[in-house]
Amino acid sequence: MAHLQPIYAQGSSITPEYENFVITTGDFTNGSNQFTIAEDSLVRVGQTLTYVNSQFTGIVTITNVSGTTITVDQNANSNAGNGQTIGLNTADGSYLIQSASFLDVNSILTVNSITGSTNSEYQSGDVVYSLLGRAAKQNGTVIQGKFHKYIVNEVLYRSISSAEISFFIEWGEDGTQTESGDKLFVGSNQTLPITQLTNTASLSPIFDKEIYPNLEIGSGFGGYQVELNSFFDTRGSGSGGVSTDTFPYTGSAEITGSLGVTGSIIFTTDTGITEDILLIKGNTADNGSVKVTSNGILQLAWSGSTAPTAIEGGIYYSSSAFYVGM
């Protein structure tokens, strides 16, 4: 099967925004966690509010949006009133790109190629796009040569004639942006890579900056740097080098093929679990099963309408009787 080789392109005139990217007004009511907003086109769940009339205390997060009616996670106080000035801030690791000029030197991609995962036209399995942004310290100072991957999660505007696009992006690496200790550099008029990601592992490509000379130095290796560190961190380490041992493992897993185990296997169920510890079933409509219940009881059963072919040492249970192959 052929694998996708991700395409990379250039976005220019990029100015990421996250704080007070919209200044508008709202009508608030004392004791209510809902208000109406004057400008609702860019308001999204998870954003926070900047408020100037002390109608709230601390950080206020938007939990629901229904037209111009906004619900937040706390009630307004007695300072609430109509026409009060507020600002919208993106959630942690999210940014708004109000406008970017798009260029693919091979003319394979256009702004119409790019769809965010929350856009209505996005279908499961569609290619995901990312922006490789310059990393910054918490004080906003750029970190030279360091980049982070941000996923294009919602496209707001496209223009084929002017090759212009507007979109929201969100943190695209393991953990959260806060945990990384970095931020996205929000300098104005940046020129940054916009890349496709692989379908399975969401990997970003490595590329030669000479194709897009205006890109930031180091950006051609930015995605590779992110993915390589993530890969080795998840593989663990062992004596003599990198280990492929990813255990202990928590969660559900499906294995197609054979599984070989050298050593012992111990099955232990958590308190309150009622599912079977072990279940082995035949591969036909008329088949037997062997299972160990959550209480540790071994149970044999035959579900076929006729007796199976006897094999030496075989044993099964059916119709209140045990059968042994001799």
Side-chain angles (χ1 to χ4, degrees):
M1 183 177 111
H3 294 276
L4 170 71
Q5 182 171 343
I7 300 173
Y8 48 93
Q10 172 183 287
S12 57
S13 302
I14 293 176
T15 304
E17 299 179 69
Y18 70 100
E19 196 170 47
N20 293 326
F21 62 87
V22 170
I23 301 294
T24 183
T25 60
D27 295 335
F28 300 87
T29 302
N30 183 20
S32 175
N33 68 336
Q34 292 188 329
F35 66 93
T36 57
I37 192 170
E39 174 54 60
D40 66 322
S41 62
L42 294 178
V43 63
R44 300 290 185 272
V45 171
Q47 293 174 353
T48 61
L49 297 182
T50 297
Y51 49 92
V52 298
N53 296 101
S54 301
Q55 64 267 50
F56 297 106
T57 301
I59 297 175
V60 183
T61 303
I62 297 171
T63 59
N64 190 62
V65 178
S66 179
T68 59
T69 301
I70 310 302
T71 304
V72 294
D73 61 354
Q74 65 171 282
N75 296 330
N77 56 36
S78 59
N79 295 318
N82 293 335
Q84 295 181 326
T85 301
I86 55 174
L88 298 179
N89 313 300
T90 59
D92 175 47
S94 298
Y95 296 83
L96 170 64
I97 310 299
Q98 293 269 19
S99 177
S101 296
F102 184 83
L103 172 65
D104 175 11
V105 294
N106 295 305
S107 299
I108 297 174
L109 301 178
T110 69
V111 290
N112 281 351
S113 306
I114 302 176
T115 303
S117 58
T118 62
N119 287 117
S120 59
E121 64 266 35
Y122 179 84
Q123 301 292 322
S124 177
D126 284 353
V127 174
V128 174
Y129 290 85
S130 74
L131 177 79
L132 298 179
R134 303 179 74 187
K137 302 175 184 178
Q138 288 300 309
N139 64 5
T141 304
V142 68
I143 304 174
Q144 298 293 341
K146 187 176 184 180
F147 293 79
H148 284 298
K149 181 175 69 176
Y150 292 85
I151 305 299
V152 177
N153 67 327
E154 182 181 0
V155 175
L156 305 169
Y157 169 79
R158 306 177 184 90
S159 172
I160 282 287
S161 60
S162 63
E164 185 181 2
I165 187 169
S166 173
F167 49 89
F168 278 108
I169 56 175
E170 64 182 2
W171 181 253
E173 300 174 24
D174 296 336
T176 66
Q177 178 182 264
T178 296
E179 291 171 343
S180 77
D182 296 337
K183 299 168 63 174
L184 178 64
F185 178 59
V186 292
S188 60
N189 296 319
Q190 300 181 59
T191 302
L192 299 170
I194 296 176
T195 76
Q196 291 181 330
L197 300 178
T198 60
N199 289 330
T200 302
S202 296
L203 303 179
S204 184
I206 185 173
F207 56 89
D208 189 342
K209 180 181 172 294
E210 292 302 315
I211 298 176
Y212 297 101
N214 293 324
L215 290 177
E216 298 293 342
I217 296 175
S219 60
F221 295 90
Y224 179 80
Q225 181 184 43
V226 169
E227 313 303 356
L228 189 66
N229 290 339
S230 176
F231 173 80
F232 281 116
D233 281 346
T234 56
R235 301 305 285 178
S237 60
S239 60
V242 177
S243 170
T244 59
D245 181 10
T246 58
F247 288 93
Y249 175 81
T250 302
S252 299
E254 182 176 337
I255 298 174
T256 301
S258 301
L259 174 66
V261 178
T262 300
S264 60
I265 300 178
I266 300 175
F267 295 94
T268 304
T269 57
D270 294 330
T271 302
I273 298 298
T274 58
E275 290 84 358
D276 297 329
I277 298 174
L278 175 68
L279 175 62
I280 302 174
K281 299 176 67 175
N283 58 4
T284 63
D286 293 337
N287 56 50
S289 66
V290 178
K291 70 179 180 180
V292 178
T293 69
S294 59
N295 295 322
I297 304 301
L298 176 66
Q299 183 182 37
L300 307 177
W302 174 257
S303 58
S305 58
T306 58
T309 301
I311 59 173
E312 187 174 358
I315 182 171
Y316 76 95
Y317 175 85
S318 179
S319 302
S320 302
F322 276 104
Y323 298 84
V324 179
M326 303 289 291

